[in-house]
Amino acid sequence: MKLLSYHLAGRDTWGVVLGDGVAELAQRTGHATLADFIASPDFARRDALVAGLKAEVQLGDIRFLPVIPRPEKIVCAVRNYMDHHQEVLAAGMQRELSEQPPIFLRVWRSQTPHNGPIVRPRVSESLDWEGELAVIIGEGGRDIAEADAFQHVAGYSCYNDASVREWQFHAKQIASGKNFESTGGFGPWMVTADEIEPGRELKLVTRLNGETVQSSHTGHMIFSIPRLIAYASTIFTLVPGDVIATGTPAGVGWSKKPPQFMKPGDVVEVEIEAIGTLRNPVVAQD
């Protein structure tokens, strides 16, 4: 099942994708947001709730919102693909593999939806792409065991952890380059976890203006999804609707010789097998 958040007729809502259209579920279920639905007992009986529904509006007539518009936490993994780690070393950066997953946090205002603009800030021309698999937390918890982690996954989506590189390198922490407003593409929808076998290797491709710049699969992750969930939940309680962006594979623009970055007028797409394609135009900050 594909669930999404969207804006229509002057209000934000959410629903289920049915073919090329959408049926709203907010009013039918009484849950104002998709995150509220995920947190409720109704999420477990979602198939029964949508049985017999027909699309009420076409996907082309809605304005997509980030899948979870205001998650409490967006936990992002750093250099979590072996091929990306190797390209970072080849580009001259001195980094060692850590024993624990390196992570940072994004804020919700840094997100932008499917078809929404990724905004290059006026202070930089080094806006880089990072196609990633996003994991949306269903059942929350603290100190979640790796063996139980997949039971806490509500679904999966596409993410573009777009990075403002020189701001990322201002200090040893990288959050300043990862939190500019409207840089983190998130969408177009969430595919519920029952549609994807736990641990399945998913092909991930990022395209810039139709040219493939990243082509890999999730089997190259250094720290698995269960490991990321277990580690993050040791630090803080995960809650329904939290997002874990699981890291990007090789092929980022910064590592190219010469470097290549996104510029206004570009279109960037992140396509993940069994999920779909996240598309974002790039614009300059007003």
Side-chain angles (χ1 to χ4, degrees):
M1 183 180 297
K2 296 174 181 175
L3 300 171
L4 79 168
S5 300
Y6 62 99
H7 182 90
L8 183 69
R11 66 187 184 91
D12 294 349
T13 187
W14 66 277
V16 58
V17 178
L18 299 171
D20 293 329
V22 181
E24 186 184 41
L25 292 179
Q27 294 183 345
R28 286 186 171 94
T29 64
H31 301 294
T33 69
L34 177 53
D36 291 338
F37 178 63
I38 290 170
S40 77
D42 287 336
F43 184 68
R45 59 186 194 95
R46 57 191 176 274
D47 288 335
L49 289 171
V50 305
L53 292 183
K54 295 182 179 180
E56 302 155 335
V57 63
Q58 294 300 295
L59 287 169
D61 294 329
I62 67 171
R63 176 162 62 84
F64 287 81
L65 297 175
V67 179
I68 307 295
R70 298 188 180 192
E72 181 183 284
K73 295 180 287 297
I74 307 166
V75 182
C76 303
V78 182
R79 294 185 311 282
N80 195 35
Y81 278 69
M82 184 58 72
D83 54 0
H84 178 50
H85 176 74
Q86 291 169 343
E87 78 171 341
V88 166
L89 297 181
M93 185 174 288
Q94 309 246 331
R95 291 290 187 271
E96 294 182 0
L97 289 176
S98 60
E99 294 184 4
Q100 305 295 341
I103 61 172
F104 63 93
L105 297 179
R106 263 189 181 266
V107 297
W108 67 261
R109 288 186 187 275
S110 72
Q111 298 190 131
T112 192
H114 174 63
N115 288 337
I118 286 178
V119 178
R120 189 181 76 174
R122 63 175 64 95
V123 297
S124 174
E125 294 185 355
S126 65
L127 180 63
D128 205 348
W129 58 83
E130 290 194 9
E132 307 196 6
L133 173 69
V135 176
I136 295 98
I137 295 297
E139 180 184 348
R142 182 87 190 271
D143 295 322
I144 298 169
E146 286 188 50
D148 301 328
F150 279 117
Q151 300 174 30
H152 293 260
V153 176
Y156 304 92
S157 189
C158 305
Y159 213 93
N160 188 344
D161 185 28
S163 308
V164 182
R165 290 302 186 195
E166 76 268 34
W167 283 73
Q168 176 183 336
F169 300 140
H170 280 178
K172 289 185 178 181
Q173 60 81 24
I174 65 174
S176 57
K178 299 282 193 172
N179 278 283
F180 277 83
E181 288 197 18
S182 298
T183 55
F186 185 18
W189 42 63
M190 177 186 84
V191 174
T192 52
D194 56 294
E195 299 286 335
I196 298 174
E197 182 181 356
R200 173 181 169 185
E201 292 184 358
L202 301 175
K203 185 176 180 181
L204 186 157
V205 175
T206 304
R207 292 182 292 268
L208 185 67
N209 301 323
E211 177 187 352
T212 297
V213 289
Q214 290 182 292
S215 180
S216 188
H217 63 77
T218 56
H220 289 305
M221 284 186 192
I222 298 169
F223 298 103
S224 67
I225 290 170
R227 182 75 182 96
L228 294 173
I229 290 173
Y231 183 76
S233 72
T234 304
I235 304 167
F236 31 59
T237 299
L238 293 176
V239 301
D242 278 350
V243 179
I244 299 179
T246 55
T248 199
V252 299
W254 172 82
S255 67
K256 297 181 183 297
K257 300 187 186 308
Q260 180 184 5
F261 298 115
M262 296 185 290
K263 60 185 184 302
D266 287 346
V267 175
V268 61
E269 297 171 304
V270 178
E271 181 176 1
I272 302 179
E273 179 184 4
I275 297 174
T277 301
L278 165 68
R279 178 188 181 276
N280 297 104
V282 181
V283 304
Q285 180 184 356
D286 292 335

